[in-house]
Amino acid sequence: MLAEHSEPSASSAPAAKAAPVVVRNLTKTFLDESRGTIHAVDGVSFECREGEVFGLLGANGAGKTTTLRMLSTIISPTSGSAQLLGHDIVKDPAGVRRSLGFYSASTALYPRLTARETIEFFARINQYPEDKVKARVEALIARFGISKYADVRVEKLSSGMKQKVSIARTVAHNPFILIFDEPTVGLDVLNAIEVQEAIHELRNDGRTIIFSTHIMSEAEKLCDRIAIIHNGRILACDTLEGLRATTGQHYLEDIFVQYVKSPV
Amino acid sequence: MNWKDIRTLYVREVRSALRERGIVVNSIIIPIVLYPLLMWLIFTGLTYVSGQTAGLTSYVMLRNLPEAHLALQRAIEAEPGIDLEDSATPEADIRNGELDLIIDFVQVQDAPALAEGNVGARVTYDASRDRSATARARVKRVIDRYRDQFIEREAGKLGISKTQLQGFRVDEMNVSTNSEMGRFVLALLLPVMMVVMLAMGAIYPAIDATAGERETGTWETMMTAATSRANILAAKYLYVATMSFVAGCLNVTAMMFTMRSNLTTLGGASGLTFSVQLESIPVIFLGAALLALFVSAGMLILASFARTFREGQSLVSPFMIVFILPLMFIQSPSQEYTSKVAFIPIVNVAMMFRQAIVGRYEWTPIAITIAVELVCVIAALKLAATIVEYEDFITGSYNGTFLKFVRQRILRRDGQGGAVAS
């Protein structure tokens, strides 16, 4: 298990059965010197339920990363709102950050820290209770099977080992919500499967996971519900079965193409 | 500000830094080793040159030496390293290097000679040749000695003192003690070295904490951490300032020890001693801390506009030059540490160092210096805080330079291309 529910968390689990993630009309507009105004995200709305993997499926440049960056408070929305465990991304960004773990292909590790120091650092900085940090770090080291190289500097680890340390640091503060932004980009098949298995286990732990990808098979395999995003807009949001029923297509690739080429 | 978070972030920065060869070399090894090594090389070189010079023979010709002064010829012959020569064309021989020096003795015609055998001597040599200059120094020593003895002897014969015989005699007396002279020499060197080292010590950490993080991809990881950007910025700033301060102080300490061991030996005859008074140490450290805070803020701001380490180096290097350039100002011997000078950043601290080293404390300029440096630091931090508010800067999508950023966002505040982040 990645985390017992009795274990302390930097964030509190939702008290009521309200959706842990609520996104309403989220919009992000950039002003580019050469291209003018760009609507990277254009009125996106969705909710994520407790213990589900919610997939954001879209091509490169569809607005997935911008949406997730807004949810993780790296950037602020132009308009619209979003709450994570009741914390508003604009009014309470610190509360939001305490509640979530953010992982993406571009979020690297500090190369000169050891695996143990890395997990410890992220647990502390993400406000995990100080007196329980050591125990949490040891538990994660054991869980991810990184004991053998726990005291080796990250720069000396293989990409597979780094992957495990990366996931361990994402969940170091035991967040209730996890965002995985294209986590398998650049990974070989075996490492990608490891990441998928970790996501699966986290879901089984009851975490709410937002997972963005442009790889259809991954979305099919992992997601409980899938939102198809294109040109900054969500074209459809349903379970795989629901999408199949709506479009009459079996494969997600065909469903995706159908929505993108002629929105239902 | 959350000091617990800042401490966690600061410890992470320092731990990483101490494991990076480039930072350890630039902020710790070079300050300790570079200047002592350079001084050792200079010392060794000077010793070598001095040894070579000692083994050199100077060829000297005496012309029209009066019989009354044959003792001078004997004194010159007895001097090691001098050979007396004859030449038919002595001036030409000096030019072509076959002769080093000519001493012409001329009878004094106009002035009444109180001393018997009064004579003048003209030394002809070629100052553009080392050999000839060395010969001059050697001959002058012998002539001065002989002249003193001659005057004393002749004055005795006349029943007057040496001073009375010589008339307008100039004697010099240096009221400085050897340690004061040593401090004077230290005051010329240490402020410059300190400022250079403070800047050098900050370069790598500043780039590592900003452009380095963008390059390795840890910048975005950090931006999702559950702590404010102000805390992240504060920790990075304190880290860079620490490394700068450590580099500056290590360097000054190493320089002090090197000068005490090498220069004291080299200047053995002068008997200089190189040490600073204990009470000047707090002022030196205060100045170092102020400059470290200032240079760190500047470098951190500039380096944060870079996406790669290399880009960071090219952005920060001009700032380092701008930072060091004002030191030219303090090299002027007429430069005093006045209240006006205390308003010039960097120069004021360098002058404060200099005064502290020689043991002078002028409290009004010191107070102005501290105030001016603090204002500079606060202004730089305010600018840094404004910059990190822009999310295109945070996400690394801002393409412009620092100057463009200031023009677009700080002066005109048009916010083009970058909404302010929450």
Side-chain angles (χ1 to χ4, degrees), chain A:
Chain A
M1 294 285 280
L2 282 166
E4 300 297 334
H5 283 295
S6 58
E7 216 176 296
S9 166
S11 64
S12 51
K17 282 293 169 191
V21 179
V22 180
V23 180
R24 292 279 176 264
N25 288 317
L26 211 56
T27 302
K28 183 67 187 178
T29 305
F30 293 111
L31 185 62
D32 188 90
E33 280 178 32
S34 52
R35 293 184 292 167
T37 303
I38 298 164
H39 299 285
V41 175
D42 192 2
V44 162
S45 299
F46 61 85
E47 286 184 3
C48 303
R49 296 163 195 158
E50 191 179 333
E52 81 167 347
V53 178
F54 181 85
L56 270 180
L57 180 69
N60 292 334
K64 305 186 295 292
T65 297
T66 306
T67 303
L68 298 184
R69 278 180 167 182
M70 284 190 279
L71 293 184
S72 58
T73 74
I74 296 174
I75 58 175
S76 54
T78 307
S79 64
S81 66
Q83 281 87 37
L84 280 78
L85 293 185
H87 303 288
D88 189 276
I89 59 168
V90 176
K91 292 175 191 159
D92 184 16
V96 170
R97 284 182 211 144
R98 277 197 303 276
S99 310
L100 69 84
F102 183 86
Y103 177 104
S104 90
S106 60
T107 51
L109 299 170
Y110 289 105
R112 298 190 292 270
L113 294 188
T114 66
R116 188 190 303 279
E117 288 165 349
T118 301
I119 301 166
E120 199 174 311
F121 168 71
F122 280 101
R124 285 214 167 91
I125 204 63
N126 286 316
Q127 318 304 325
Y128 195 74
E130 183 61 41
D131 56 334
K132 295 185 171 66
V133 166
K134 293 278 177 197
R136 175 72 178 161
V137 171
E138 293 312 316
L140 288 170
I141 285 172
R143 155 64 189 86
F144 285 100
I146 51 183
S147 313
K148 280 184 186 166
Y149 50 88
D151 296 309
V152 175
R153 286 191 208 173
V154 167
E155 63 193 347
K156 291 179 180 160
L157 302 180
S158 69
S159 50
M161 291 168 174
K162 280 181 190 163
Q163 211 63 48
K164 288 181 180 175
V165 179
S166 232
I167 296 172
R169 76 97 194 138
T170 306
V171 299
H173 56 301
N174 200 15
F176 193 79
I177 300 165
L178 291 158
I179 293 178
F180 284 86
D181 181 19
E182 307 221 41
T184 57
V185 166
L187 295 185
D188 62 36
V189 178
L190 294 176
N191 285 327
I193 288 171
E194 287 237 20
V195 173
Q196 289 165 10
E197 283 172 359
I199 291 170
H200 196 73
E201 280 189 41
L202 287 163
R203 191 258 307 268
N204 291 344
D205 273 345
R207 315 282 138 168
T208 297
I209 296 166
I210 306 175
F211 175 78
S212 92
T213 185
H214 64 270
I215 304 167
M216 307 293 158
S217 58
E218 264 184 6
E220 274 181 340
K221 194 168 154 186
L222 286 173
C223 300
D224 297 303
R225 286 190 305 138
I226 298 166
I228 294 175
I229 184 166
H230 187 65
N231 286 340
R233 289 168 181 233
I234 288 185
L235 304 180
C237 180
D238 208 339
T239 60
L240 183 57
E241 289 310 314
L243 291 171
R244 281 174 178 158
T246 309
T247 58
Q249 303 285 352
H250 181 76
Y251 296 108
L252 186 55
E253 194 172 67
D254 297 328
I255 295 168
F256 180 79
V257 170
Q258 186 169 328
Y259 272 110
V260 168
K261 293 212 167 162
S262 53
V264 178

Side-chain angles (χ1 to χ4, degrees), chain B residues 372-393:
Chain B
V372 166
E373 289 301 318
L374 284 176
V375 167
C376 289
V377 169
I378 291 165
L381 289 180
K382 181 94 180 136
L383 179 61
T386 307
I387 290 169
V388 293
E389 281 177 11
Y390 286 89
E391 62 188 28
D392 57 345
F393 176 84

